[in-house]
Amino acid sequence: MNTTVMTPPRTLRERMVEDMDLRHLSRATQRNYLRDVERFATWLGRPPDTASGEDLRQFQLDQREAGLGGPTLNSIVSALRFFYTHTIDRPDLTRKLYRVKHPRSLPTVLSREEVTRMLGATTSLKHQAILSVAYGAGLRASEVSKLRVRDVDGERMLLRVECGKGGGHRNAMLPKDLLYLLRAWWKEGRDQGVMHRDGWLFPGQHYLKPICYRQIHRIAAEAARAAGITKRVGPHTLRHSFATHLLEDGIDIRIIQALLGHAKLNTTALYTQVATRTLRNVVSPLDKLAVLPAPRPQASPDG
């Protein structure tokens, strides 16, 4: 008797999810890619694996005419490139996909005094530790949420980041004061019964699951509001501030690139445009020419 069990064919969506899992794409990236491919399929009116190059070209034109911005259009292009390259093995179609050049906005950066106020305005030791990791080690919110207790290396003063962007691994710095704070949180978490040696550094509502990105974003926004900061602040603002403050302190930009886990140096170089202390310390070549008249001394009040 033939006992072979026939498995149902996988849908395009299931195959795409498998391909994204194989390449360690983050859950947020997977959600965005699926959303953008579904957007194209809705526009197309039939399965996306039946599309032609001309369909892709016309879709981009229609989306631009609909008023979509450059970042959104580029996100769609990334999703479709992944789908046609990896899921249905039609990389030839990606020649019809074009990224849009757009001016990149400068990141919001907090002053050191604002960071101090924000960390002091948190409502619990756990929240203070979460935001301190984002600023003190320059981690993304997704990286903070996926830290495990074992990732804190107190001997080498490092944080092991094993779930970085694109599935990359790296070592982040662990400042001495941050280590003390994490030890205090470890003790409090153990007393509460939510911290375990093989568990998450920042458990969510259930100790077997990590805190989610949205909760970290709410923690950052509430702390900024409580500190009287009117800028739009999220957890990534602390990462931007970490990089900018290091640059202002004279740390080599390539070291900052490694600490942030940036693949390209030009991504890190963006912080040179917001490092105000560094800009103030640059001497203009005009000042070295000595051709302009020196400012006249002001008369004394009694003169």
Side-chain angles (χ1 to χ4, degrees):
M1 178 182 294
N2 187 357
T3 59
T4 302
V5 178
M6 299 296 292
T7 58
R10 292 165 299 164
T11 65
L12 285 174
R13 181 187 179 92
E14 290 170 339
R15 287 168 54 190
M16 186 174 177
V17 170
E18 288 177 352
D19 291 331
M20 292 189 291
D21 283 339
L22 282 172
R23 289 160 181 81
H24 302 288
L25 270 62
S26 70
R27 293 302 174 195
T29 299
Q30 292 194 27
R31 285 195 300 270
N32 292 340
Y33 278 17
L34 290 170
R35 177 201 62 207
D36 291 337
V37 173
E38 288 172 359
R39 182 202 294 261
F40 174 60
T42 300
W43 175 90
L44 187 64
R46 61 181 192 273
D49 59 337
T50 64
S52 66
E54 182 57 30
D55 289 328
L56 289 168
R57 176 181 174 277
Q58 189 59 49
F59 171 68
Q60 293 174 95
L61 291 173
D62 287 354
Q63 297 304 298
R64 173 173 264 184
E65 290 178 4
L68 293 188
T72 302
L73 290 171
N74 289 339
S75 175
I76 293 172
V77 166
S78 296
L80 292 175
R81 278 181 176 169
F82 184 94
F83 175 76
Y84 286 106
T85 300
H86 301 293
T87 301
I88 66 169
D89 195 23
R90 287 291 309 277
D92 54 296
L93 291 177
T94 63
R95 291 198 299 269
K96 292 295 184 178
L97 295 169
Y98 306 100
R99 297 185 68 83
V100 179
K101 290 186 178 181
H102 61 92
R104 187 170 180 180
S105 59
L106 294 178
T108 299
V109 173
L110 301 177
S111 69
R112 296 164 202 255
E113 187 269 338
E114 287 174 323
V115 173
T116 301
R117 282 164 39 206
M118 184 173 168
L119 296 180
T122 50
T123 58
S124 70
L125 185 61
K126 179 182 180 181
H127 291 181
Q128 187 179 55
I130 287 172
L131 299 184
S132 295
V133 169
Y135 174 70
L139 300 194
R140 303 175 178 92
S142 59
E143 295 169 344
V144 174
S145 70
K146 296 299 175 59
L147 285 173
R148 293 184 177 272
V149 173
R150 64 171 180 264
D151 294 328
V152 180
D153 189 342
E155 292 186 5
R156 299 169 62 203
M157 300 303 290
L158 295 173
L159 286 172
R160 288 186 290 270
V161 181
E162 297 183 355
C163 297
K165 191 172 183 179
H169 306 319
R170 74 180 190 280
N171 288 325
M173 63 190 301
L174 176 59
K176 180 176 62 176
D177 288 347
L178 180 56
L179 176 61
Y180 294 155
L181 179 61
L182 292 179
R183 285 174 174 169
W185 161 235
W186 161 258
K187 183 178 184 303
E188 182 175 300
R190 291 280 286 180
D191 293 341
Q192 295 174 1
V194 299
M195 294 286 285
H196 304 273
R197 291 196 177 277
D198 294 325
W200 302 104
L201 184 59
F202 301 114
Q205 293 182 345
H206 192 283
Y207 75 93
L208 291 178
K209 293 184 178 180
I211 190 170
C212 68
Y213 167 83
R214 291 178 181 173
Q215 180 62 18
I216 294 178
H217 196 283
R218 281 194 292 268
I219 291 169
E222 289 171 2
R225 197 159 43 243
I229 299 171
T230 58
K231 300 172 184 175
R232 186 175 181 181
V233 174
H236 220 71
T237 310
L238 294 171
R239 175 174 160 89
H240 291 323
S241 303
F242 163 85
T244 303
H245 295 166
L246 285 182
L247 192 62
E248 291 179 341
D249 287 341
I251 304 301
D252 186 272
I253 195 168
R254 291 193 178 275
I255 295 177
I256 299 174
Q257 177 191 6
L259 290 173
L260 293 174
H262 284 163
K264 298 180 180 179
L265 183 60
N266 60 3
T267 304
T268 316
L270 183 67
Y271 295 111
T272 60
Q273 300 180 49
V274 290
T276 55
R277 181 186 296 182
T278 301
L279 295 177
R280 288 196 302 267
N281 290 337
V282 175
V283 178
S284 169
L286 180 64
D287 289 340
K288 296 183 178 182
L289 296 181
V291 295
L292 298 180
R296 297 179 179 179
Q298 295 182 350
S300 61
D302 58 354

